[in-house]
Amino acid sequence: MRSEMAAADDLWLVSCLNATLDPNLGARNQAEGALTEASRKTGYGIALARITLNNDFSLGVRQLAAVLLKHYVKKHWIGDDFTVFPQDKEMIRKLLPLGLGDPEKKIQTAVGMVIACIATSDWPEEWPELMMLILACINDRSDVNKVNGGMRCLYFFADEMDDRQLPHLVPVLFPALYDIISTPSVYAASTRKEALNVLHSCIATLGVMSGAYQSETKALMKPMLKGWLEQFAAVLLQTIRPKEPDSWLLKMEAIKALQQIVMNFSKLAFNDFTIVLSPLWHTFVTDLQVYVEAAVNGDEVDLADPKSSEESLESYANQLLEFLLCLVGHSRYCEVIRKSIKDLAYFTIGYMQMTEEQVQTWSGDASEFLAEEDTLSCSCRTSGVLLLQEFVGVYEDEGTLAILEAVSRRMEDADRAKSQGETGWWKVREAALLTLGSCVEADDELPGFSIDVLFNRILVDDLSQGMKLCPFLYGRALWAVAKFSSCISKDKQEKFFLTAIEGLSDTSYIPIMVASCQAVSTLLPKVESRSSQPYIRSLYTALATLLQQGSEETMHIVLDALQSAIKADKDHMPEAEAMLSPILLHVWATYIRDPLISIDALSAIEAVKNAPGCMEPLAARVLPAITGVLCQPRSQQEGQVAGALDLLTMLVKNAPLSILKHAHHALFTSIIDIVLQTNDDSELQNATECLAGFVKSAGENLIAWATDADSTMKMLLAAAGRLLNPQTNSSGSLYSGTFIVQLIEKFSLRMAPHLRDLVTALVVRLESVALKGSLIFVFAKLVHMSAPNYGQFIELLRSIPSKGYGDSLTCVMAEWTKCHDEVQGSYQIKVSTTALASLLATGHPLLSQVQVEGRLLEATGGIKTRSKSKLQPDQFTRVSALQKIFSLLARGLVEGQEAASNFVDEDDEWEELSNPDGNDVEDVVPANKSLRSVFEPADLYEDVLNGDVSDGDEPSDEVDPINQINLQAYLVDFMKRFSQEAPLAFSEFFKELSDREKCAVQDAVSSK
């Protein structure tokens, strides 16, 4: 009776499956609704499994049932709203392995995918017998279908095997895989390929395990390692055929597995590695011929189309180059191939030739070409460059000479091919130039290789024959010129410069236009002004045309070339500004929501601003345009207000007072309003940064320009209040630290009455905000500015209440010492570290009373999961603030030593740190030296603040003496003095350090 009901269910389900393919929309919708309803009832998944395995139904219906079963498992096996019934799960697990031996390969694949999907959650706990069932299929050599199906299933979830299951499986799995791989007469290439893929996954997992179980994993690998190498050698000796992807995919999987062995078990495999060396070289040389004929020359027009780009012939060649890169980069294996590096470099250049597909793609798609040029793509060209660059890094001069010889040989090959009338001759020469420019530095000594002769040939052979004949070679020649511009004679620089300008005249050839822009950018600063100036006007015209007609993808490189031209122009910028500024502003406005292009456009506009005689006319164009935007911010499109603020920030930076005054009258109040009212984080960020720029550049002039001095200070304080409000997003107040530091530095006397309120607001913000680094920087600045009266500032903090800590001193020290590592930027880290050292040097009793987090207590009870972490938060010791500061400074010494240490390869599978070398001691600012006081008039430290400050981490960083120190040397000097001036405190704090920290402090104290 039950079987009859099951058969009826199956027939009903089959009718629904057929109805989903009905051309009538109503019938389809009705069938899909019925299936959805049935999916929530017991037996649905079982019925789909039965239909999948039933040979009486058509292949299409069985495949459709398998697809629905896979979707059902993915969605409901462990579902939120509905979960498959336990009895259904058990039956499905029982039925599915029967399908692995199905004669239809598509059913084998579909069943294997469903089993793999279930295995991710059920194996091994709920389905312990699964692996034995699969291995039984693989070992059943009497039924090839079972072997294929079992192998395909294992292929789908090999990556799910971890360190718990794999050690038990390897002894039985590896022999089964070996039998399949070593018997090409019985098993198809696709099955052997899948076996190699499973082997690759297993070796990779064993490699990860070797970190904790080194001897155990080696014991698992050693018995069969030599046999595997012999099988890899046999696979590598096989011939690849362009029309048969399995022929190269099999070799690709063997190379991947071999690479895992070299990466994870190199010492174990080294003595037997000679087994694969000769076959590997045979593969590298002979497969290049096939690759060139099929892919580079495109002779095999009917080349089999692989299922994906990862299975293409180029992907195979790329994998081969990546494996050679692995060998060259390995400290032991690099010596094995040292004697062959000349030939290896020669053949590598062959693999770097452009394929016919790349020629077609790059000729019409600028983005694809630029992605390749920026080495963002995975290709033989990129991997070949990386391999040859590794030559230089590993073999040094020997590697460079090998590359130069290979380049010369390939140049000769190109000449010979050209004389014989071969159409692809230029690809060899282009690859040789790519190699030269990518792997050899312009200042390298090049024995036996004449750069001057090379560039004579570039002028005569590559650039004189015109752009249209070989545009990619023409562009590569200009690219090489840009790379070696510093070692080209002056007369040739001028000729190449003129050629580059000519290359900008036609936008139809993308590689030429890109290379011409690069050549202009590098050559223009080197060409003498008297030679370049007559052509600047035509260069501006060409680049301006490219900006107006070029594509979005090429915009970056054109803007970069234009920026170089503007910076190099000595005579024409005041006149050219009238042409360039409107175009650049239009590009900036058009791409205002594109962060990459808008930044490049802004940099070019800034170059115009900095050119002599251009700031005033540029400001006259910019200010009216952005005034309309910033005065009515709510009526603007998304991104316009933030972009306009960026532009204004750039304009006011280092601007003369006349422009600042004009901008102040037009926009200062609007900027304040944006800070106070906007809910857009990017607008608030940019408005804060702009406001900080006004304060920094104009200073007290902001007060003088206002009709009411008090109103200006009120607006500035109101802006600070908004930024420090706990309700303001951390992202929006990102530059609050910059702004507040500027207020304190520029208006110290006016800010003094508000200091207590400011500190109170800072503390409240510190308690509520997640990102505390910028606020810690403000407190560090306040510490420095209170010198030498540190105690006065400490007592001020103690007198201000804190909601979460009792008083502000406790709050600030607790958060500062906990989040000191969050401080970003070299200058900020120096300010924070030296401020902490200054506080420690005071030994103030209030600091000794403050208790903060110390060291993390070790957890007990096994692995700590996220759920356990919620129930049992991390526990810390409690120490005084002075003790914690001492520990942080000691940690800084350790980090400095580790940064200076060298890495050595002590063992093939392990890298150990060498003994750290200390930094040389440079100029040191004593921790207790008075830098400035927040209570002193600004003119007492005016010499520190005045001057042109370049772009840096924070305002005044370049002129601040703190930024000139060597932090490691500073910490060494501080520890010496602290041990001498406060020996009791030093001894007490020293006891609580870790062993590594104690060593670092002892080294510092004992150093001379």
Side-chain angles (χ1 to χ4, degrees), residues 199-472:
L199 177 65
H200 167 268
S201 297
C202 292
I203 296 173
T205 303
L206 289 172
V208 174
M209 289 171 55
S210 65
Y213 309 104
Q214 190 174 20
S215 59
E216 292 85 349
T217 52
K218 286 186 177 181
L220 289 170
M221 285 293 300
K222 189 172 183 180
M224 296 195 64
L225 189 55
K226 185 175 181 180
W228 286 127
L229 293 177
E230 291 170 347
Q231 290 307 312
F232 295 153
V235 171
L236 291 174
L237 287 171
Q238 296 176 14
T239 303
I240 65 171
R241 295 169 293 279
K243 298 180 182 179
E244 300 178 23
D246 278 344
S247 65
W248 71 70
L249 293 177
L250 184 67
K251 297 178 80 169
M252 183 160 69
E253 292 298 337
I255 292 168
K256 286 181 180 179
L258 188 56
Q259 184 168 333
Q260 284 297 325
I261 290 175
V262 171
M263 291 168 61
N264 296 302
F265 302 99
S266 55
K267 187 175 182 180
L268 200 63
F270 182 74
N271 291 334
D272 294 321
F273 194 74
T274 52
I275 295 172
V276 298
L277 270 181
S278 179
L280 179 63
W281 183 252
H282 174 269
T283 287
F284 188 62
V285 175
T286 58
D287 289 358
L288 172 61
Q289 299 172 5
V290 178
Y291 177 74
V292 170
E293 291 173 2
V296 175
N297 295 336
D299 293 342
E300 297 287 345
V301 293
D302 57 345
L303 183 67
D305 184 26
K307 297 177 182 178
S308 67
S309 59
E310 289 79 13
E311 296 183 351
S312 66
L313 183 59
E314 185 182 5
S315 293
Y316 161 67
N318 187 49
Q319 183 63 53
L320 185 56
L321 293 170
E322 285 186 9
F323 177 54
L324 290 169
L325 174 62
C326 175
L327 293 178
V328 173
H330 198 284
S331 60
R332 178 176 276 116
Y333 286 81
C334 67
E335 295 303 318
V336 175
I337 57 178
R338 181 187 285 270
K339 62 182 180 181
S340 303
I341 59 173
K342 291 183 178 180
D343 288 334
L344 189 58
Y346 172 78
F347 288 110
T348 298
I349 296 174
Y351 279 102
M352 292 167 58
Q353 296 177 74
M354 293 174 63
T355 66
E356 193 60 31
E357 181 182 3
Q358 288 170 335
V359 172
Q360 299 299 323
T361 300
W362 296 345
S363 295
D365 192 332
S367 61
E368 290 288 339
F369 179 74
L370 290 172
E372 176 71 21
E373 289 298 288
D374 291 337
T375 65
L376 297 176
S377 61
C378 181
S379 67
C380 288
R381 290 163 69 83
T382 301
S383 295
V385 167
L386 293 175
L387 174 58
L388 295 176
Q389 287 175 342
E390 192 73 7
F391 271 35
V392 178
V394 172
Y395 304 116
E396 299 179 334
D397 290 346
E398 186 180 356
T400 301
L401 290 173
I403 291 172
L404 292 174
E405 182 177 316
V407 167
S408 297
R409 290 170 64 186
R410 284 299 181 184
M411 291 282 194
E412 294 171 1
D413 290 347
D415 291 341
R416 188 162 46 252
K418 183 180 180 182
S419 65
Q420 294 172 357
E422 296 181 15
T423 57
W425 66 269
W426 62 269
K427 295 181 180 180
V428 180
R429 187 170 176 85
E430 189 272 344
L433 289 175
L434 172 63
T435 299
L436 188 67
S438 301
C439 304
V440 180
E441 297 295 331
D443 55 355
D444 286 347
E445 293 185 8
L446 308 176
F449 193 89
S450 173
I451 285 290
D452 199 52
V453 171
L454 171 67
F455 284 104
N456 271 332
R457 290 198 57 188
I458 288 177
L459 272 174
V460 174
D461 297 342
D462 300 331
L463 298 179
S464 63
Q465 56 189 338
M467 295 180 245
K468 297 183 180 180
L469 186 61
C470 299
F472 283 100

Side-chain angles (χ1 to χ4, degrees), residues 574-729:
E575 180 183 351
E577 185 277 333
M579 174 184 69
L580 295 178
S581 291
I583 296 173
L584 287 171
L585 288 170
H586 175 74
V587 170
W588 169 81
T590 302
Y591 296 98
I592 197 168
R593 296 175 65 180
D594 184 319
L596 299 179
I597 297 179
S598 62
I599 288 173
D600 290 335
L602 198 61
S603 297
I605 295 170
E606 186 171 15
V608 173
K609 184 197 86 169
N610 294 333
C614 293
M615 187 177 293
E616 294 283 351
L618 178 65
R621 299 178 196 279
V622 169
L623 289 176
I626 61 176
T627 297
V629 174
L630 297 181
C631 289
Q632 296 180 324
R634 301 284 67 83
S635 60
Q636 308 304 320
Q637 294 182 358
E638 182 182 356
Q640 285 188 320
V641 173
L645 288 164
D646 258 344
L647 183 58
L648 181 58
T649 302
M650 179 276 296
L651 189 65
V652 301
K653 177 184 174 184
N654 300 327
L657 289 178
S658 58
I659 292 177
L660 286 170
K661 185 176 182 180
H662 186 187
H664 170 269
H665 288 331
L667 294 166
F668 185 77
T669 303
S670 297
I671 299 169
I672 293 287
D673 289 340
I674 292 171
V675 172
L676 296 178
Q677 298 174 15
T678 185
N679 293 317
D680 184 286
D681 286 345
S682 60
E683 290 180 11
L684 184 56
Q685 276 186 21
N686 293 0
T688 305
E689 189 178 19
C690 185
L691 205 54
F694 264 109
V695 174
K696 176 181 177 235
S697 299
E700 285 284 342
N701 289 294
L702 292 178
I703 307 298
W705 293 333
T707 55
D708 183 354
D710 290 339
S711 67
T712 297
M713 283 306 302
K714 286 179 180 178
M715 285 191 290
L716 292 171
L717 290 170
R722 166 77 197 281
L723 295 169
L724 296 178
N725 189 315
Q727 303 302 317
T728 304
N729 287 340

